[in-house]
Amino acid sequence: MAFDWSIADFRHRAPRAVLSLFFLSLFVVPSFGQALTTAETGQFTGLDRDERLIAGAKAEGTLTVYSSTAVDDMTPLVRAFEERYGIEVEVWRAASSDILQRSLTEARANHNAVDVIETATAEMEALNREGLFQEISSPVFSELMPQAVVPGRPWVGSRIIIYNAAYNTNLVRAADLPHSYEDLLDPKWRGKLGIEATDSNWFMTLSTAMGEENTAALFRNIVATNGFSVRRGHTLLTNMVVSGEVPFALNVYTHEVAEMKRRGAPIEALFLSPSIAQLAGIAVMKAAPHPHAAVLFSDFVLTEGQRIWAEMSRTPTNLRYQDLPEGLELHIVDEMRFIDENQKWEEIYGNVLSAR
């Protein structure tokens, strides 16, 4: 299109042009406010920080969360958030590996559907390496355990998944319980031991604490002497302890044992030293379609959500709500190292369990 205005034309049309720009600005300026991303909302500071997040989140009206947290654990937290803020939360619950795959697929297709991800840290770190998360700042970070917040790492520890041994109280006497992993070499444990098949990250951390060669040799000897019933799935292994099919399991989840015990099952936890735990993490997406609601939900999970989870025997990272067994020293899985050395530790763990 060619423009051929004379000075007279300009004088005649300029007022109308200016007026048109004025009215256009009425629509353009609000769009700038809507164009905020989590890079901005995640850095809100000041006394009005919460008010700004809440107002923006209410305007957005909803958010989407991908989580591997059990439905029974996530539902009361989500319901409390919705009741407090009047913001609808859509949760897609799946295994952490499925969350990783779906998130990567959507990102590569430029389909920005999810606001917040909360899942196991191996998958969190894998997504972080793809540059999908936005580092944010929040006052609540000062309340979390030191391992939960790492400068420059955009995901934050939201809960702790603790491994422990567990035994059937009808089949194993308290007086016979082992005091160390070495005690499992006693022939009285032949045919009574169970272990989870995929916990190579647990084994890596145990090996770091006890010495790599010593740990591998010890477990090969246990396999040779007494054997392991190798099972895939922590819930399955816990249920097998309850049923008595596996009287003593070596690496199940503390919260699952607590839940079964609360229901009256004949099961009890036992912490052998060193005790191993891994973090689950939470992060907001760089391309979150609801950037205010995303940050607000992350704050809620790390505050009120921690209280809710603590009441359900889950272990929060917020020290205000954390209640670990007295004297328990946790060795946290280094997921970044595990990603880099994954193949090595899967091979070592697999070889140890099949040494027989």
Side-chain angles (χ1 to χ4, degrees):
M1 180 181 295
F3 293 91
D4 187 18
W5 285 9
S6 66
I7 295 297
D9 288 332
F10 180 80
R11 289 173 177 169
H12 175 68
R13 300 183 187 185
R16 286 185 293 172
V18 172
L19 191 61
S20 297
L21 288 172
F22 169 75
F23 283 112
L24 179 61
S25 70
L26 296 179
F27 297 94
V28 172
V29 171
S31 71
F32 290 153
Q34 295 171 4
L36 289 181
T37 67
T38 48
E40 288 83 32
T41 63
Q43 299 302 322
F44 282 174
T45 58
L47 297 177
D48 63 344
R49 176 184 182 273
D50 290 350
E51 294 178 6
R52 296 172 67 189
L53 287 175
I54 293 169
K58 286 181 177 294
E60 293 161 356
T62 186
L63 80 152
T64 298
V65 178
Y66 293 172
S67 176
S68 59
T69 302
V71 173
D72 289 345
D73 296 345
M74 183 58 80
T75 298
L77 186 151
V78 167
R79 185 178 296 121
F81 179 84
E82 291 178 329
E83 290 176 353
R84 174 170 296 186
Y85 298 113
I87 298 163
E88 181 182 356
V89 182
E90 180 180 343
V91 179
W92 184 65
R93 197 277 170 190
S96 54
S97 57
D98 294 332
I99 290 174
L100 171 62
Q101 186 58 51
R102 177 169 178 170
S103 301
L104 291 176
T105 299
E106 290 180 343
R108 289 163 184 167
N110 200 30
H111 177 61
N112 302 318
V114 59
D115 297 287
V116 176
I117 290 180
E118 199 274 349
T119 193
T121 51
E123 285 72 20
M124 294 295 284
E125 185 57 29
L127 290 169
N128 176 34
R129 294 185 180 194
E130 294 291 324
L132 301 185
F133 294 149
Q134 176 62 54
E135 186 175 6
I136 66 172
S137 176
S138 173
V140 71
F141 290 173
S142 64
E143 301 176 3
L144 307 184
M145 60 188 294
Q147 299 93 327
V149 183
V150 175
R153 187 185 70 187
W155 62 265
V156 176
S158 54
R159 51 193 167 94
I160 312 173
I161 303 168
I162 303 176
Y163 299 89
N164 60 249
Y167 62 97
N168 185 298
T169 55
N170 292 333
L171 300 176
V172 179
R173 299 185 308 165
D176 292 333
L177 291 174
H179 299 287
S180 67
Y181 292 99
E182 287 79 6
D183 288 348
L184 297 175
L185 288 167
D186 192 315
K188 71 182 178 182
W189 294 109
R190 184 175 293 120
K192 297 180 180 180
L193 302 177
I195 196 167
E196 208 284 327
T198 64
D199 277 346
S200 51
N201 59 346
W202 168 81
F203 194 77
M204 178 192 78
T205 310
L206 192 68
S207 298
T208 301
M210 296 173 55
E212 186 172 329
E213 292 184 3
N214 291 338
T215 306
L218 171 62
F219 274 75
R220 287 193 185 98
N221 288 335
I222 294 172
V223 171
T225 304
N226 296 321
F228 279 123
S229 178
V230 182
R231 303 291 174 164
R232 189 181 185 92
H234 299 91
T235 302
L236 171 63
L237 189 56
T238 303
N239 286 330
M240 295 183 76
V241 173
V242 171
S243 70
E245 187 172 347
V246 175
F248 188 98
L250 204 53
N251 49 346
V252 294
Y253 291 153
T254 301
H255 65 269
E256 292 188 341
V257 174
E259 180 62 28
M260 298 300 289
K261 182 180 177 181
R262 185 163 50 244
R263 296 177 185 176
I267 190 171
E268 186 63 75
L270 176 69
F271 293 95
L272 296 175
S273 181
S275 296
I276 310 301
Q278 64 174 325
L279 292 172
I282 189 168
V284 302
M285 304 295 283
K286 281 185 179 178
H290 309 101
H292 295 83
V295 177
L296 186 66
F297 185 78
S298 176
D299 276 3
F300 186 83
V301 169
L302 297 173
T303 51
E304 180 64 13
Q306 302 280 284
R307 181 192 64 78
I308 293 171
W309 279 343
E311 292 175 352
M312 303 170 69
S313 300
R314 301 327 185 241
T315 307
T317 57
N318 191 316
L319 296 174
R320 292 172 56 194
Y321 305 100
Q322 195 178 94
D323 185 23
L324 297 175
E326 186 176 352
L328 184 66
E329 181 181 350
L330 291 178
H331 295 254
I332 305 295
V333 173
D334 184 345
E335 296 291 2
M336 288 179 280
R337 175 190 171 195
F338 181 67
I339 289 176
D340 294 332
E341 301 180 8
N342 176 269
Q343 184 175 353
K344 167 189 172 179
W345 288 104
E346 286 190 355
E347 290 179 357
I348 291 175
Y349 190 53
N351 289 337
V352 165
L353 296 186
S354 62
R356 193 171 185 178

